[in-house]
Amino acid sequence: MKRPGPLLTLLAGLLFGLFMLTLNATTGTKTASSSYQEKSPSPAPTRTTASPTATVSPSPSPSPSPAKIADASYAGRTDDDSSSVAVSVRDGRAIAYFCDGHSKESWLKGPVQPDGSMKLTGSHGAVLNGTLQDNRRIRGSVDLDGGHYAFTAQRAVKGSGLYRATATVRGAKVDGGWIVLADGRQVGIVDRDGKPSAAPRIDPETGAVTVDGQQLTASPVVP
């Protein structure tokens, strides 16, 4: 039996290859050499939006509160050194005494504002305008009988301040006022039925004073 020749072998191979190509085209089967991989779509880039930085405004500094008005007494002289002024403060009220030690005097009273300012009024149109400074002194002025008297009254120390005594002596109504200064000086007037005159000295420790032969007690003045 003769073996097929090379020509027949080649022809058989071509026919087989043609058969396989026809079969792949019919079934849609891809050969390894014709395989194709689709690229996966790249993810869309993510846009990052920077959040605006919040601006924090500094809190305003609180306004300092005014100092609490202390209960205290103050005494001093007018700028022209002609008279003395004393002021007693308690519970937001004040009473003051202006005195030249001879014949001119006035009692005044009124409220003290939270900021330390005060406007005190007395008889015959007398007015005291003042400001309490750090609970240490009062700076102000007194308008009385057409005169204007600027003054400074320092906070009173023990024994100094404002004193008053009222009584009936030998049938006369007596009203005495005293201002005791820090250096020990005293200025006062005793009014006897509307007639003023210089007051005798008092004992600041006890308030004892003798008026027209009768012993009285002058007490510290509070509103």
Side-chain angles (χ1 to χ4, degrees):
M1 183 175 182
K2 295 183 180 181
R3 299 177 62 181
L7 184 59
L8 292 175
T9 302
L10 178 60
L11 181 60
L14 291 173
L15 291 174
F16 179 76
L18 181 62
F19 172 77
M20 291 300 295
L21 288 173
T22 302
L23 180 62
N24 289 339
T26 303
T27 62
T29 302
K30 297 180 181 179
T31 62
S33 60
S34 63
S35 63
Y36 174 79
Q37 295 180 351
E38 294 183 0
K39 294 183 179 181
S40 301
S42 300
T46 303
R47 295 180 62 186
T48 303
T49 303
S51 301
T53 303
T55 302
V56 179
S57 300
S59 301
S61 300
S63 300
S65 301
K68 182 180 178 181
I69 305 300
D71 294 342
S73 293
Y74 303 82
R77 297 285 290 174
T78 57
D79 290 358
D80 62 6
D81 201 34
S82 67
S83 307
S84 291
V85 179
V87 183
S88 180
V89 176
R90 175 169 291 186
D91 296 332
R93 301 285 300 177
I95 186 168
Y97 183 53
F98 173 93
C99 176
D100 70 355
H102 303 289
S103 60
K104 189 176 294 185
E105 67 174 346
S106 181
W107 291 93
L108 311 98
K109 59 183 178 180
V112 180
Q113 303 302 321
D115 63 357
S117 63
M118 63 188 75
K119 182 176 182 179
L120 314 182
T121 57
S123 60
H124 307 295
V127 178
L128 182 152
N129 288 290
T131 301
L132 180 59
Q133 300 175 344
D134 300 326
N135 288 319
R136 297 174 58 188
R137 66 180 65 86
I138 295 175
R139 179 64 184 168
S141 63
V142 174
D143 293 295
L144 175 66
D145 293 340
H148 181 79
Y149 306 88
F151 72 90
T152 300
Q154 302 290 341
R155 186 161 179 168
V157 296
K158 184 178 180 180
S160 64
L162 179 57
Y163 296 81
R164 191 172 193 177
T166 57
T168 300
V169 178
R170 297 180 180 178
K173 182 179 179 181
V174 174
D175 186 0
W178 290 264
I179 297 173
V180 181
L181 302 174
D183 60 5
R185 286 184 294 167
Q186 296 186 15
V187 179
I189 288 178
V190 171
D191 185 292
R192 301 172 180 85
D193 286 337
K195 298 178 180 180
S197 62
R201 290 182 61 86
I202 65 170
D203 180 354
E205 294 294 329
T206 64
V209 60
T210 300
V211 177
D212 298 337
Q214 182 171 328
Q215 186 170 342
L216 306 178
T217 299
S219 302
V221 176
V222 294

